[in-house]
Amino acid sequence: MFSLFKNRKAPLYAAIDVGSHAVKAVIFEKTRDKKNPKVLKKIIMKLPPAFEPIRMVHKLREILFVVVKELGRIPEKLVIAFGTSLAAHTFEVWNAGTLSAEEVSAEALGRLFKSIADSHISAGRFIFAYPIEALVNGYTVAYFKTGNWISAGLGKNGASGEIFKKIALYPGSAISFRALILTCAEDVGEGLLNLKKSFGGMPIEFIPISFAHQHAATRVLGYRDVMLIDIGGEMTVLAEIQESVIGEIASIEVGGRNFVRGIARVAGISFDEAEDLKRQYASDQISEERKKMIRSFIGQEADFWKKKFLESLDAFYRLGPLPPEVLLFGGGSNLEDIASYLREGGWLEDFSYAKSATVRLMRGSDLFDGSSLKGFLQGPDEFAIGSLIHYALEESNH
């Protein structure tokens, strides 16, 4: 069998971003200097403007067959990330009962969480469950980061970077977990689980794409408190990172394709032509006459996006004031109409101690010291796949 990677000795990895309008995969090698990886292949499969979520699973299966065929050997790690377009995201607190032991360890927390997650799954819920923090008698004692339980320290300014060690418990202490729960439709959940069975020799890990974004924001870019705004094809997803931990996730069903569909309708052109026209508008490559026409429509759609955006911010109220630092990315993020609105800051005043936001438009290359990895990471729509590459490499070191 012909293989693009024949005789290569370096460890191979694969990262797949299952978005609301496309499934993207990148196959890459970890380099010896442990700096920028070497990308070997990039695969993009676009999804139609209207589709059922199960179509994403079918596209994912197609990509995995391509990966298996062309790798010629099993990758060290394959990370598949998906967002709210494939599974509903909710935070839940799961009670794990009371413990009479005098001490509890990281291993014990891991066993407890797995046991309670398994009980939810065996009850018929098609879910993926991810621990966020462990609580004892309602107080956070540890956070789950990069595959480890990390001590919460004493108070907000405690030793949050320390690996979790055994902690003493009073008899009858109540243990609970705050977890991020991804709930799938039955056919989607079964389809994803069947992927692992079909590719049994491949170490596949499913994660929420927000985990990769969090990893990039905190571990790569060094933020501790930051708002993430991901404007995808069909949805906009907001996530607040508080003390390096995901505090809340909210989504609105308005994305870049809303603008494209409207342009197609107003201009009387196809969806693909409208998508190209939107791209030209965003990069200021069209005539003033067409720009004026598009700007009029974009303004109407932008107002609708702003309305939905403001409504979604109520979900973050319980966390306290929103941070003024904002990372903006995704395929629909390059419209100046949206970026200008976020930078003006009027939206922030009712939700923060700051009057305006510092908005940073992120591209995939920003995660690799400005390198596009020889052209494989093109723009803000590939911040997600860049985040996944970092996540896969970092996790492999644990």
Side-chain angles (χ1 to χ4, degrees), residues 10 18 48 68 72 84 111 126 152 157 160 171 184 232 234 246 259 267 272 310 335 350 388:
V18 185
V68 169
T84 55
R111 288 193 301 271
F126 282 88
N157 298 316
S160 59
C184 301
E234 301 292 347
I246 294 180
F259 295 90
D272 289 341
L310 286 174
L335 286 175
D350 292 337
L388 275 174

Side-chain angles (χ1 to χ4, degrees), residues 19 27 50 62 91 108 137 190 199 246 284 295 342:
I27 303 165
E62 289 178 37
F91 287 94
N137 297 329
E190 287 183 339
F199 300 89
I246 294 180
D284 200 24
R295 186 181 292 121
L342 293 172

Side-chain angles (χ1 to χ4, degrees), residues 6 41 77-78 83 97 114 149 224 267-268 289 329 373 391:
K6 190 176 181 180
K41 188 174 183 63
K77 190 174 191 66
L78 192 155
K114 184 178 185 307
W149 286 102
R224 182 176 173 85
E289 184 179 350
F329 50 91
L373 304 185
Y391 180 93

Side-chain angles (χ1 to χ4, degrees), residues 101-123:
E102 294 182 356
E103 294 182 330
V104 64
S105 63
E107 291 76 15
L109 289 180
R111 288 193 301 271
L112 277 172
F113 184 81
K114 184 178 185 307
S115 175
I116 194 169
D118 287 346
S119 70
H120 278 266
I121 294 169
S122 62

